[in-house]
Amino acid sequence: TPATIASRLCALKPDLAIAATFWVTPFDWLPLQDAMVADELRAHGIETMCHPSSVALDCYDKWRTHLLLSSHGFPVADAIHLDYQQFWCERSHHELTSNVYKTYLLRQLEQMTYPVVIKDTTGLSSYGMEVATTYKQALHYIYSGRTNSDRIIETYLDGAQFGTEIYGRDGNYTVLDPLLFSLNRYGITSPKQSVKLGPITSDTYQIAELKAMLTRLACALKLDGIAQVDVVFSGGKWFIIEVNPRLSGMTETYAASIGRSVYDLLYRTARKLPVAAPLQPVCNGKLPLLTDEQLALVSAADGVRYVHQIFNTAAKQEREKGYCEVIFSAPTFSELHTVVEQFAARHAAFIEPVFLERVRALFQTSGLERAF
């Protein structure tokens, strides 16, 4: 329990306790647990860097996140919430001859602008996310066995998708230049195959406006540490998709770009020291799980700054059993492009073709190919 964890930490008599929260499946709720631990530590007079528990709860549930962002005037996609228990309330109340909630929800769903994105309100990343291009498809998904809990249904925002991180506390925040995400054939990011490229600083994407918006977000939520935000640039405007008050899969990528370790970034944030030097170009890609021999080859390759394998031992299908994350970096985008192309050519035996396709597509989307 949080009280037990806090008790053990108190026994160490730390000068400072820093939450280094990460994600976990199937529920992304560790930020809430760490926030409760931090509350206990602060009650014992221990200085702590950790996001507020109220923010952790609001960001854990995507519908609560939507309402929170809307209440502060941040641009978000139009969305509706499907309460699973209410949608099927007649199953436990056989005396009901109609379900008024279901009738209302389906009317809202029919009136939405399509395509729409349907996702679990408490799920991790884009796992289990569905894109429906018509009302009929959305209806089929909702009535299928795949919908067994609450869902948030959002209008799909057509545009370039990015992620960034916010560092800071007590009203002093740094928003890093965003990284551009690759998209799968459904127009969403894939946690197992996504590629990230950046930092993106082009005036085309109005980066100054993005940073100003996310600084206001950090102040409104009173963020305390490192947080990750997913955004979309659609129709010449920025929209916030998701807020994760924790470290993310992007943190190591930014650390490689900045030239510092994640631990250094956490400590500097806690002590309100500058965290962002000029960012060096980086590319984060996913490979299939590698053998020890292949890992050694990849780790020693030119331009590789970080290699990490993620396993899902419970998976039944081979493609679900995990992936190898590789981060490349170089002084310029032209050199980075060369590094990745040469890496792919030398290690083609264990690299999926889609990896290089997505890297090339990102350079084209970002406009960076003009630098070559």
Side-chain angles (χ1 to χ4, degrees):
T1 65
T4 301
I5 297 172
S7 176
R8 293 176 179 174
L9 292 176
C10 285
L12 300 175
K13 299 181 180 180
D15 295 320
L16 171 67
I18 300 174
T21 312
F22 203 58
W23 54 264
V24 67
T25 57
F27 300 117
D28 193 8
W29 58 18
L30 287 186
L32 182 56
Q33 175 176 274
D34 283 355
M36 291 188 287
V37 172
D39 289 340
E40 294 277 349
L41 293 176
R42 293 181 185 122
H44 286 83
I46 296 175
E47 182 186 355
T48 304
M49 184 180 79
C50 184
H51 300 297
S53 54
S54 59
V55 171
L57 178 61
D58 284 331
C59 294
Y60 164 62
D61 184 302
K62 293 179 177 63
W63 179 243
R64 291 178 66 108
T65 307
H66 177 86
L67 296 177
L68 176 68
L69 295 172
S70 298
S71 70
H72 285 284
F74 293 106
V76 293
D78 292 335
I80 60 175
H81 175 237
L82 186 153
D83 184 310
Y84 183 78
Q85 294 299 324
Q86 287 294 308
F87 193 80
W88 293 110
C89 63
E90 65 270 23
R91 290 176 174 176
S92 56
H93 296 276
H94 300 295
E95 70 276 14
L96 294 177
T97 57
S98 64
N99 185 333
V100 175
Y101 173 82
K102 182 181 293 186
T103 301
Y104 174 73
L105 189 285
L106 294 180
R107 186 172 69 169
Q108 283 188 301
L109 184 65
E110 188 175 19
Q111 293 173 349
M112 292 191 75
T113 300
Y114 284 82
V116 297
V117 179
I118 308 173
K119 52 190 177 183
D120 191 335
T121 58
T122 57
L124 175 69
S125 186
S126 56
Y127 289 100
M129 188 181 296
E130 180 78 8
V131 176
T133 59
T134 65
Y135 170 69
K136 185 177 180 180
Q137 286 183 3
L139 207 61
H140 180 268
Y141 178 80
I142 288 172
Y143 276 93
S144 73
R146 296 174 61 190
T147 299
N148 53 16
S149 62
D150 287 8
R151 292 290 187 270
I152 179 172
I153 305 167
E154 298 176 330
T155 298
Y156 176 79
L157 295 172
D158 186 23
Q161 297 188 25
F162 298 79
T164 186
E165 288 192 329
I166 303 171
Y167 296 72
R169 57 192 321 206
D170 300 329
N172 299 301
Y173 299 102
T174 298
V175 179
L176 299 186
D177 291 321
L179 304 180
L180 180 62
F181 292 172
S182 69
L183 305 178
N184 62 19
R185 61 193 179 95
Y186 301 107
I188 58 178
T189 58
S190 167
K192 304 182 194 69
Q193 291 185 320
S194 68
V195 175
K196 303 177 181 69
L197 177 70
I200 304 301
T201 59
S202 171
D203 290 339
T204 301
Y205 293 111
Q206 302 174 20
I207 303 301
E209 286 82 351
L210 172 66
K211 289 186 173 183
M213 179 179 70
L214 295 186
T215 299
R216 185 168 75 86
L217 172 71
C219 291
L221 302 188
K222 298 182 180 179
L223 295 179
D224 190 20
I226 298 177
Q228 188 270 336
V229 186
D230 289 331
V231 291
V232 174
F233 189 70
S234 178
K237 180 180 178 181
W238 285 104
F239 292 83
I240 300 176
I241 300 300
E242 189 168 305
V243 181
N244 297 301
R246 53 164 172 75
L247 305 181
S248 72
M250 298 180 64
T251 310
E252 284 286 359
T253 308
Y254 275 123
S257 179
I258 295 170
R260 300 184 184 277
S261 70
V262 172
Y263 301 107
D264 190 16
L265 292 177
L266 283 164
Y267 180 77
R268 296 180 74 85
T269 301
R271 289 304 186 210
K272 303 177 184 178
L273 300 172
V275 296
L279 301 184
Q280 185 165 280
V282 286
C283 178
N284 178 316
K286 308 294 195 316
L287 308 180
L289 287 173
L290 305 179
T291 65
D292 290 344
E293 182 180 358
Q294 291 170 336
L295 276 174
L297 289 173
V298 169
S299 300
D302 291 340
V304 172
R305 299 290 179 263
Y306 178 80
V307 180
H308 177 60
Q309 298 224 100
I310 296 176
F311 296 90
N312 180 7
T313 56
K316 296 181 180 180
Q317 298 184 37
E318 191 66 31
R319 65 182 179 85
E320 300 286 341
K321 291 183 178 180
Y323 56 84
C324 178
E325 180 181 35
V326 183
I327 299 173
F328 305 87
S329 183
T332 68
F333 280 104
S334 178
E335 291 173 277
L336 178 63
H337 184 269
T338 300
V339 161
V340 177
E341 290 279 357
Q342 291 179 345
F343 176 89
R346 290 170 183 165
H347 304 292
F350 53 82
I351 293 179
E352 296 174 333
V354 70
F355 164 73
L356 197 53
E357 292 172 8
R358 287 180 173 166
V359 171
R360 290 170 175 167
L362 282 189
F363 272 99
Q364 292 174 352
T365 301
S366 65
L368 292 169
E369 85 282 357
R370 291 193 295 269
F372 308 148

